[in-house]
Amino acid sequence: MPFQYYPLDSPVHRLDPRVKIIAVLLVSILLLKASLPSLAAATVGFVFISWASRTPLTAVLKSLKPVLPFFICLFILYLFFTPGSPLPYLSFGPVQVTQEGLTMAITQVGKFLLLVAAASLFTMTTSPIEITTGLERLLRPLKVFGLSSHDLAMMISLAFRFIPQFVIELNSIRQAQQARGADLNESGIAGKIRLMAGLASTLASNMFRRSDQLIDAMEARGYHPGPRTYLNNLCFRRSDYGVLAALTVIAVAVWL
Amino acid sequence: MIEIKNLTYIYDTQQSPALENINLSIQPGEYVAIIGPNGGGKTTLIRQLNALLTPTQGEVWIDGLSTGNVKNHKEIRRLVGMIFQNPDNQIVGMTVEEDVAFGPGNLGLSPAEIQRRVDSALAAVGLSELGKRAPHALSGGQKQRLALAGLLAMDPKIIVLDEPTAALDTSGQTEVFRQIEKLHQQGLTIIFITQDMEEAARADRVLVLHQGRLVADDHPAQVLTRVEWLLSLGLAPPRLVQLMCRLRESGFDIGTDVFDVERACQQISTLVTGQRQMLTDRKPREV
Ligand SMILES: Nc1ncnc2c1ncn2[C@@H]1O[C@H](COP(=O)(O)OP(=O)(O)OP(=O)(O)O)[C@@H](O)[C@H]1O
Ligand SMILES: [Mg+2]
């Protein structure tokens, strides 16, 4: 499954989740304004980090698959609809590929692909628990606005916790539909919609029932909104400070 | 120590009370089964014990703390751990360890203390090896043991279980009961609801709830042998008890408080050898 955590031991896995969250956010912001050469540099950097994380590069590439159609459309739009000087050989009457269009298409689509890849590498090297603990710590300042980072983290971790349940449930409902003679390959949009509506409503009602029971179970174990403590405490190590320093240098360099 | 005084609970004023004037006290270390037909009020009763529900009338006291006072709820929920029927819907954590750490985290303990409690709770239920696993990848029996570990990490005195084995297969059922009995031997008070009369027979005390009223409260040998009465409440008496009662009705001198195959075998074989003895004793005299 794309975006799934790979429990390995690597320098990237060992980094503090807060550092990784900051890195992903910072890189996303910097990328937005990146030119083609800096995008190329970032891609090289990404491939290096991905190699250092010992996760299979193919898994990262797989995570790009679902968004690919969208990016292909985007690529074509940029390619044909950016004004500029037309390229010879690549223009057919009114449809013109321009020099600027080609550069734009590659940089813009490249940026987004790199962003998705970075997010996927992040979730592949950071366990859901680390993500929630990291987010909880980073979001603590939100207390100023009356938002509890503990409650937000709890919500996020429950969402993570329910994903596998959701998939299992989805499959069993599909099987039940099949068993009752529904044709899952039903042709025609109306049929497909009918099928999906049935699936969604059953899934939703099951999930509501589950969450009712989960709330009871949480309350029975003394859950209360607001501050609580965690099994895993986070602390920065030397490598974390190193990465933070490197990020700062890159950020400053790009800024100037 | 649980003390229930004149407890009445009403969900909906249009309906008859779910619990009506219950009086009950349970001493530390007791092993209690609650049985009764569907809608009898079993779940409603045990939800009063950890203050998920509070009395409409009357009082529930847990170790000197009244559930009517919201300030006591935190401590009551630490003292009284609860296991639900569906193993999936009580898992909060993304890993086994993390799930066990949820309760101690709510108590605000330090990470080091949480780790210590998680380790000892997982060891107590025999899941130490699986600490890093995702809970949804466990078997049903393992999930219920995980739920027990989650309670043990809060150091409770009382554990209440709402049909803990109803969603499990036979091996899961034995697995969970072995664990529950181990905890009982360690001095914890155990209260469980069950539809299974063989399970109820394992307890030291059986409560029967019918239409919100406590209609029996006695040793299993006294309660589960009242075949006609149980049938009239819509409960199926244990099969072995039914067998023994039939034999007794047919004139055999046999005890009816028999809940396991071992004892039944013993009783029947003494009966049979006795009969055979009588026959062989009789023959020579006839000659
Ligand atoms: N949330 C609720 N709202 C309204 N009425 C309820 C609610 N929960 C239970 N009841 C009613 O209270 C009565 C007792 O229900 P309870 O769930 O305690 O029975 P039970 O003995 O646990 O039954 P079962 O064997 O089916 O689990 C029933 O008549 C039921 O319809
Ligand atoms: Mg019930």
Side-chain angles (χ1 to χ4, degrees):
Chain A
M1 231 176 15
F3 292 98
Q4 197 182 17
Y5 178 56
Y6 275 71
L8 299 170
D9 189 33
S10 82
V12 184
H13 283 78
R14 279 194 298 270
L15 278 182
D16 189 291
R18 285 170 292 180
V19 174
K20 286 189 263 189
I21 295 170
I22 292 171
V24 171
L25 289 179
L26 192 69
V27 168
S28 319
I29 294 168
L30 293 180
L31 269 180
L32 285 181
K33 300 204 301 176
S35 59
L36 192 54
S38 47
L39 177 65
T43 311
V44 171
F46 175 79
V47 172
F48 173 74
I49 297 168
S50 163
W51 168 79
S53 77
R54 297 171 48 200
T55 52
L57 193 59
T58 47
V60 177
L61 295 180
K62 270 201 193 114
S63 66
L64 300 178
K65 219 170 108 186
V67 288
L68 219 49
F70 170 70
F71 285 127
I72 291 174
C73 290
L74 200 65
F75 190 88
I76 292 171
L77 283 179
Y78 274 121
L79 201 59
F80 292 113
F81 295 98
T82 314
S85 48
L87 283 173
Y89 311 120
L90 285 173
S91 301
F92 313 98
V95 185
Q96 291 183 333
V97 174
T98 61
Q99 172 70 48
E100 287 80 358
L102 190 61
T103 326
M104 270 297 262
I106 294 175
T107 13
Q108 295 304 336
V109 172
K111 268 181 209 174
F112 284 119
L113 285 177
L114 195 58
L115 277 184
V116 177
S120 136
L121 185 64
F122 168 67
T123 55
M124 281 165 61
T125 59
T126 320
S127 72
I129 299 160
E130 287 178 304
I131 297 177
T132 43
T133 339
L135 279 176
E136 189 272 313
R137 294 294 294 273
L138 286 174
L139 294 176
R140 273 192 196 172
L142 287 183
K143 216 167 41 195
V144 186
F145 306 109
L147 283 173
S148 158
S149 62
H150 294 276
D151 299 347
L152 284 175
M154 190 72 223
M155 273 157 56
I156 297 165
S157 95
L158 283 180
F160 272 120
R161 137 91 181 81
F162 265 106
I163 290 170
Q165 201 87 54
F166 200 77
V167 174
I168 295 170
E169 200 114 332
L170 192 72
N171 285 336
S172 73
I173 296 172
R174 288 190 77 124
Q175 273 163 16
Q177 278 186 335
Q178 246 165 337
R180 274 174 285 153
D183 177 10
L184 293 190
N185 301 316
E186 197 165 345
S187 51
I189 293 184
K192 281 222 160 58
I193 289 177
R194 194 154 9 93
L195 211 59
M196 287 304 291
L199 198 68
S201 69
T202 319
L203 198 60
S205 78
N206 282 0
M207 283 293 154
F208 277 122
R209 203 193 52 238
R210 268 183 199 293
S211 58
D212 265 356
Q213 295 179 6
L214 186 73
I215 288 165
D216 280 344
M218 284 171 57
E219 220 178 311
R221 284 163 77 181
Y223 180 72
H224 51 86
R228 46 196 307 275
T229 52
Y230 301 88
L231 178 61
N232 304 295
N233 225 13
L234 299 179
C235 68
F236 282 142
R237 269 175 282 173
R238 200 175 294 161
S239 53
D240 295 311
Y241 288 114
V243 172
L244 279 180
L247 285 173
T248 319
V249 170
I250 295 173
V252 170
V254 171
W255 205 264
L256 292 178
Chain B
M1 167 94 174
I2 298 171
E3 197 82 53
I4 298 175
K5 288 183 194 148
N6 306 323
L7 165 65
T8 294
Y9 186 79
I10 299 168
Y11 280 106
D12 182 348
T13 41
Q14 312 292 320
Q15 292 171 6
S16 55
L19 292 174
E20 210 173 339
N21 200 26
I22 307 273
N23 283 284
L24 182 66
S25 89
I26 296 174
Q27 303 302 318
E30 277 199 81
Y31 188 24
V32 184
I34 304 178
I35 60 174
N38 292 126
K42 308 180 291 294
T43 301
T44 311
L45 178 63
I46 69 162
R47 279 170 167 256
Q48 302 279 343
L49 301 181
N50 69 346
L52 281 181
L53 296 175
T54 50
T56 309
Q57 276 163 39
E59 288 157 15
V60 176
W61 295 83
I62 311 291
D63 272 2
L65 301 169
S66 166
T67 61
N69 187 345
V70 181
K71 287 200 192 99
N72 292 335
H73 286 190
K74 195 176 171 196
E75 179 62 7
I76 287 173
R77 287 181 187 150
R78 193 193 67 72
L79 286 169
V80 185
M82 188 163 195
I83 300 276
F84 299 81
Q85 176 177 341
N86 187 321
D88 282 312
N89 301 346
Q90 48 192 326
I91 294 168
V92 190
M94 291 170 281
T95 63
V96 166
E97 270 192 347
E98 190 71 10
D99 189 66
V100 178
F102 180 71
N106 290 333
L107 298 177
L109 303 174
S110 72
E113 174 64 10
I114 295 180
Q115 185 70 59
R116 199 189 61 72
R117 290 196 179 201
V118 167
D119 291 343
S120 79
L122 284 178
V125 301
L127 289 179
S128 300
E129 313 287 287
L130 304 179
K132 302 283 181 217
R133 279 268 197 100
H136 65 88
L138 302 179
S139 73
Q142 285 173 330
K143 280 178 193 162
Q144 288 297 49
R145 272 153 62 200
L146 168 61
L148 275 170
L151 303 186
L152 294 180
M154 296 179 80
D155 193 22
K157 288 193 183 167
I158 300 162
I159 292 186
V160 293
L161 309 99
D162 192 347
E163 305 190 30
T165 60
L168 305 181
D169 60 13
T170 316
S171 73
Q173 288 171 359
T174 357
E175 187 181 329
V176 167
F177 260 90
R178 196 175 300 144
Q179 197 61 54
I180 292 172
E181 270 156 24
K182 206 170 113 194
L183 296 175
H184 170 235
Q185 272 149 27
Q186 288 166 7
L188 283 157
T189 310
I190 308 281
I191 302 164
F192 65 96
I193 296 179
T194 185
Q195 302 279 357
D196 181 329
M197 297 300 141
E198 266 83 30
E199 280 181 4
R202 303 166 86 126
D204 299 331
R205 179 174 173 189
V206 176
L207 309 178
V208 184
L209 280 173
H210 181 245
Q211 292 178 352
R213 273 181 252 256
L214 186 61
V215 290
D217 173 3
D218 212 331
H219 193 268
Q222 304 299 320
V223 178
L224 300 177
T225 48
R226 295 161 67 185
V227 174
E228 293 304 319
W229 179 74
L230 287 173
L231 287 171
S232 75
L233 294 183
L235 294 169
R239 293 194 160 263
L240 286 173
V241 171
Q242 295 194 45
L243 173 68
M244 292 319 210
C245 283
R246 281 284 189 80
L247 287 173
R248 204 183 163 83
E249 274 164 26
S250 326
F252 293 101
D253 178 26
I254 205 164
T256 54
D257 56 335
V258 172
F259 302 116
D260 58 296
V261 175
E262 204 62 40
R263 274 242 0 242
C265 217
Q266 219 177 342
Q267 290 245 12
I268 293 174
S269 61
T270 44
L271 200 71
V272 171
T273 43
Q275 296 269 323
R276 209 184 280 149
Q277 201 64 46
M278 268 163 58
L279 287 179
T280 46
D281 280 353
R282 216 176 287 161
K283 263 184 189 152
R285 255 178 269 146
E286 279 173 7
V287 171

